[in-house]
Amino acid sequence: MLETNHSNAELAAEITASAEPMQRLVLEVGKALVGQDVLVHRLLIGLLTGGHLLIEGVPGLAKTTAIATLSKAIDADFQRLQFTPDLLPADLIGTQVYRPQQQEFVVQKGPIFANLILADEINRAPAKVQSALLESMQERQVTIGGETFSLPDPFLVMATQNPIEQEGTYRLPEAQMDRFMMKVVVDYPTRHEELQILNRMSRTRQQIAIGTVTTPKEILHARDLVDAVFVDQQIAEYIVDLVMATRKCEAYGLAIGPWIQFGASPRATINLTLAAKANAFLHRRAFVVPQDVKDIAMDVLRHRVMITYEAEAEEKTSEDVVNMILEAIPVP
């Protein structure tokens, strides 16, 4: 448990105060977005940790609306990139343009130089574009003509992919999948939510005004507080056990080895810890509890556990594997 000394009390008070703009952000995004509470929550975790999101869902579930509205509410730059098979790396990061008047090449920066990036249908782009995006996501920088440029901070990539239409798509490399902090599966709205969507959106002209409720500077300050959130040693060991169980399941009494081709990488351990700390921050706590880990574990692990053909033959998914692990590992 968190010690109740003066410094920790001050930290708790500062976290409570700094989490308030995040709650206002949720309410502001809610003006344009019905339902999708999990998606908005994961977007906030991405902002607070600098982690990127892979969103999987059928068309029409407001994935674009979510991140576009978020960018307006935090006064940040937003770019939507439609990934297509003929997209080139220069279309993403920029290129050098020759100016005959000066007789020199000038760097023309691409749309990647924004705070929030929506990479729509990311699996439609070829390998060279995936490689260019990979450097941007991991290094927070791009290289144009031998010159390196830093990307703005905060920088968040939300990539979407359609799970039902695979014609003309490229499978994302495992290395790039691992760069995404979370994979969020967006489902259809409930009947009540769909009725709200009908009442709010069935107009030819939308009159929804989104106000600015926070700034990138406040987001960066909140990140410093997320770093200060306390993680008890028992919870740290719980996180490590969850990840290790995806690699050496027999050591944890799980007979699912034939279903797992590759387990989660050490990056999963880091991401799960950061996401749990951000989840605690959003709940205005200065310390992580086991439920923070359980709440976020599926989104952090589902795309990092590679299943075998045997698992597919038995109609098992990576989500089934993660659920079994969550049920088997004792909660501290």
Side-chain angles (χ1 to χ4, degrees), residues 97 108 113 150 157 175 212 218 257 300 310 320:
V97 178
Q108 184 72 42
F113 288 89
S150 297
V157 173
T212 301
E218 288 182 318
V300 173
E310 183 178 340
D320 293 327

Side-chain angles (χ1 to χ4, degrees), residues 103-313:
Q103 295 187 351
E104 62 180 6
F105 285 93
V106 178
V107 171
Q108 184 72 42
K109 293 183 178 179
I112 196 70
F113 288 89
N115 297 113
L116 300 179
I117 301 294
L118 175 64
D120 218 356
E121 295 189 282
I122 187 175
N123 53 338
R124 291 194 178 278
K128 286 185 178 181
V129 177
Q130 303 290 358
S131 178
L133 183 63
L134 187 63
E135 181 191 7
S136 304
M137 291 169 56
Q138 181 64 23
E139 307 298 335
R140 300 298 201 278
Q141 65 182 29
V142 297
T143 302
I144 305 174
E147 191 174 355
T148 300
F149 299 89
S150 297
L151 293 169
D153 205 9
F155 176 71
L156 173 67
V157 173
M158 186 181 103
T160 69
Q161 63 179 17
N162 185 344
I164 60 175
E165 186 181 354
Q166 298 302 322
E167 184 177 350
T169 63
Y170 299 81
R171 186 173 181 269
L172 292 182
E174 280 74 13
Q176 184 165 349
M177 292 283 285
D178 197 40
R179 258 65 174 190
F180 287 102
M181 169 178 267
M182 292 176 286
K183 178 182 177 182
V184 184
V185 176
V186 181
D187 204 355
Y188 288 110
T190 64
R191 185 181 186 278
H192 174 68
E193 290 170 346
E194 190 120 5
L195 190 59
Q196 284 184 282
I197 293 171
L198 184 153
N199 293 330
R200 187 182 300 184
M201 303 296 181
S202 57
R203 297 178 178 87
T204 56
R205 294 185 181 181
Q206 302 297 331
Q207 302 293 329
I208 301 173
I210 303 299
T212 301
V213 297
T214 188
T215 63
K217 184 178 179 180
E218 288 182 318
I219 296 292
L220 295 177
H221 175 65
R223 283 186 183 179
D224 293 335
L225 295 176
V226 168
D227 286 339
V229 170
F230 177 72
V231 180
D232 186 82
Q233 183 63 27
Q234 287 185 318
I235 292 179
E237 292 179 5
Y238 176 56
I239 291 172
V240 170
D241 285 338
L242 288 176
V243 177
M244 290 294 294
T246 68
R247 308 174 204 159
K248 300 179 179 179
C249 53
E250 292 83 3
Y252 294 89
L254 289 161
I256 55 175
W259 293 349
I260 302 176
Q261 185 176 12
F262 297 106
S265 71
R267 190 178 280 116
T269 307
I270 299 169
N271 287 170
L272 187 51
T273 306
L274 286 172
K277 291 168 75 171
N279 196 53
F281 174 89
L282 291 172
H283 286 87
R284 306 184 184 188
R285 277 185 279 102
F287 56 93
V288 173
V289 298
Q291 193 60 45
D292 291 320
V293 180
K294 296 194 74 172
D295 285 346
I296 213 76
M298 178 60 74
D299 291 334
V300 173
L301 296 175
R302 60 157 51 102
H303 59 297
R304 292 184 163 98
V305 176
M306 303 293 116
I307 59 173
T308 61
Y309 289 114
E310 183 178 340
E312 292 179 0

